Each structure stands twice: as structure tokens, then as C-alpha cells.
Amino acid sequence: MPELPEVETVRRGLAPVMEGARFDAVEARRGDLRWPLPKDFAARLEGRTVTGLGRRAKYLLADLSSGDVLLMHLGMSGSFRVAQENGGTTSGETTPGAYYHDRSKAATHDHVVFHMSSGVRVSFNDPRRFGSMKLVPRAKLDEEPLLRALGPEPLGNAFDAAMLARACAGKKTSLKAALSDQRVVAGLGNIYVCEALHRSLLSPKRRASTLAMRSGAPHARAEQLVAAIKAVLHEAIKAGGSSLRDHKRTDGELGLFQHNFRVYDREGSACPTPGCGGTIRRIVQTGRSTFFCPVCQR
Ligand SMILES: [Zn+2]
């Protein structure tokens, strides 16, 4: 499953070829991805210009000149490829965003193809078809069920220590569970929850309520945690995004990310906190693996 930084790197890769460009032609090669595509999908896109390409949690949001927003989710195995089109032939194909897993390039899995006025073809490839595309009027975006329940963006200004402490005050669940809750913070994902907790030296088993003081004001550890969350995400986006386990890239190098994870998927390794001397452990919390150091994370 692509994580938030990966989706953001995809957004940054697609923005230069889609923003300001018109959909000249749209091919919906099958009627469904995870859910059926709208029947008038191509007709509502063709002739429209993309006025902006944004992101909310793990959704890409293309604002259209018609007032619609095209919501796109990569699902488990989705990716976009961009190629220059020159009268029937294509060249210079790239896959925006650095994926931790190799992505399919098989044409049989190119389910949706955008021919843009910028002279590029953007193909959405998704072998497992857990990805999705949906058109929603911009005016109704606030009511959109896929987005409505999402908490603040972790990299947005609204996500700060005061907000996080408020969301966690009185919660008897663990910090790991609270940070994995999309209503508390959107799209953080298992890897980055583990990494941020380690960086802020907070135990994943700690009660979420301890981020707030009795008055409800944020404890200093909430400040540390928010700073750590923003730092790990910024670094991940810079490094190109990542997801999942140790997979060799086509050039034989380990994925960019493997080197940057301090605890994720590192059970049994020495804790990288200077002077700690602990060993990374794996436990299961709410059905997901948690990697942490029982010595320095308190
Ligand atoms: Zn440690």
C-alpha cells in the first residue's frame, strides 16, 4: 500500500504535465476499478482543463475547469506512467514517484489512459484493481464520504501539538492506535507512525491521553511527536516516498527507504538512538506490526 509520502511524490511528478493541460481524450478501458467508474466518466473529463492537482491523505484531487474534482487513489498496486505522444507513438516514458515495490508496466493493466493537451499520455496501471477514480462536484467535496471523516493533514498547519492533544485527551487507547486513526490525523500509515514514535522517544504502548495535561493543554511530548511526524514525512517525500518491505530496485540497490527506516522492519537490529544500546522489537497492535525500542521509547 503506498504511503502518504509516496502519493505526494506521485502528485509532484504528475503536476507539471497535468496542471494547465486539457483532457483531449480519455480511455476508460474497463468499467470498474475498485468501484465502477461513473458512466459518463470520459465525457465529464474530455475538453476540461486541470486547474490544479492537490492531495488529501492518500487521494489525489484534480480540480477541473468544469467544477468537478477527479479523485484518484492508487489502492494497493496502482501507478501512473507518463509518456510523450508524437502522432501515435510514445517516447520517454517515466513513472512519477519512487515506489518501494516495482510497479507493473503491462499494458493489459493500463485501465485508464489520459491523453493530455500537454502532449503527454498518462496511464493508470493497476493489476490488483484496488485503486479508484471518482468525480465529485467541488461544491460537494465537504460531503464526500471518502474524505469527510479524515482528520487534519499531518503536514498542514492545522496539525499541531494543541490539536493532537485535544484529539487524544481522555483516550485510553495506545499512542500507536491513536496515530493510526484517520480521524486523528489523516494518512499517516503504519511505517511513519513507528518511525515518528521512535524519533520522539515515545513508546507505542503509552496511553494516548498522556499527550494532554490535565488542563487539556498539550504536554511537551505532544510537541516532540508532532515535530517528529512532520520531520519523517518531509524526509520521506524528499527521498522519494516508500512502502513495504525490502525489495531490490531494478538497479540492484536496496530501496531508498530501507536505509532511512530507523525501526520499521528492523526487528533484532541495534537501536540507532545514540547511546541507547537497545534492540528493536516487533509487537502486534490492533492487528498491525509495531517496531520500537523498549529501552529509549518511554
Ligand atoms: Zn533505543
Side-chain angles (χ1 to χ4, degrees):
M1 178 76 85
E3 300 275 351
L4 185 152
E6 203 165 59
V7 178
E8 178 59 20
T9 59
V10 172
R11 188 195 71 76
R12 291 179 186 192
L14 289 176
V17 297
M18 291 189 76
E19 286 183 338
R22 193 178 59 241
F23 292 94
D24 280 344
V26 171
E27 298 175 56
R29 294 182 178 171
R30 49 179 305 141
D32 63 318
L33 294 168
R34 182 172 187 170
W35 301 298
L37 291 170
K39 284 211 165 47
D40 52 357
F41 183 69
R44 279 169 74 180
L45 293 174
E46 284 170 354
R48 317 298 187 190
T49 299
V50 177
T51 56
L53 186 64
R55 179 187 56 74
R56 178 78 172 102
K58 296 185 197 174
Y59 288 92
L60 294 171
L61 280 73
D63 264 292
L64 309 180
S65 52
S66 59
D68 276 337
V69 178
L70 172 61
L71 256 66
M72 299 179 280
H73 195 286
L74 297 169
M76 305 285 287
S77 59
S79 66
F80 289 93
R81 294 196 324 286
V82 173
Q84 288 294 326
E85 284 188 307
N86 326 295
T89 61
T90 58
S91 61
E93 191 168 78
T94 58
T95 305
Y99 293 90
Y100 208 51
H101 275 307
D102 287 339
R103 285 308 201 237
S104 162
K105 293 183 170 62
T108 48
H109 302 305
D110 285 346
H111 303 309
V112 178
V113 180
F114 303 138
H115 301 272
M116 307 300 299
S117 62
S118 54
V120 304
R121 184 188 68 188
V122 177
S123 307
F124 180 66
N125 188 291
D126 189 3
R128 297 181 63 182
R129 283 192 288 118
F130 281 104
S132 59
M133 292 199 188
K134 185 172 182 179
L135 284 159
V136 180
R138 167 52 75 176
K140 298 219 164 148
L141 208 58
D142 287 346
E143 302 157 35
E144 169 52 40
L146 295 172
L147 306 178
R148 199 175 44 196
L150 293 173
E153 282 292 313
L155 292 174
N157 291 332
F159 182 66
D160 61 13
M163 188 272 138
L164 183 59
R166 251 194 328 274
C168 290
K171 266 201 196 307
K172 293 196 172 84
T173 53
S174 66
L175 264 185
K176 172 75 189 306
L179 294 178
S180 304
D181 182 343
Q182 301 297 300
R183 293 165 299 185
V184 172
V185 53
L188 202 47
N190 198 38
I191 293 176
Y192 298 100
V193 171
C194 294
E195 292 295 311
L197 285 170
H198 180 262
R199 195 175 292 220
S200 52
L201 304 178
L202 295 173
S203 170
K205 297 189 280 188
R206 169 182 279 282
R207 264 198 191 195
S209 59
T210 62
L211 292 184
M213 298 200 284
R214 198 163 297 172
S215 66
H219 190 279
R221 53 179 84 96
E223 306 272 0
Q224 285 166 31
L225 182 54
V226 166
I229 288 168
K230 291 180 190 275
V232 294
L233 291 175
H234 277 303
E235 286 172 25
I237 290 166
K238 209 170 154 203
S242 83
S243 190
L244 297 179
R245 50 198 47 253
D246 103 5
H247 217 77
K248 298 235 170 170
R249 285 168 40 203
T250 43
D251 58 5
E253 290 280 309
L254 277 175
L256 289 168
F257 253 74
Q258 185 74 0
H259 301 296
N260 293 343
F261 292 152
R262 296 187 188 177
V263 290
Y264 186 79
D265 215 8
R266 286 182 170 272
E267 184 180 18
S269 301
C271 173
T273 301
C276 170
T279 301
I280 304 307
R281 279 187 57 198
R282 185 184 80 91
I283 56 171
V284 174
Q285 290 179 291
T286 55
R288 305 291 304 275
S289 287
T290 298
F291 297 89
F292 76 112
C293 172
V295 177
C296 66
Q297 288 182 251
R298 292 309 178 110

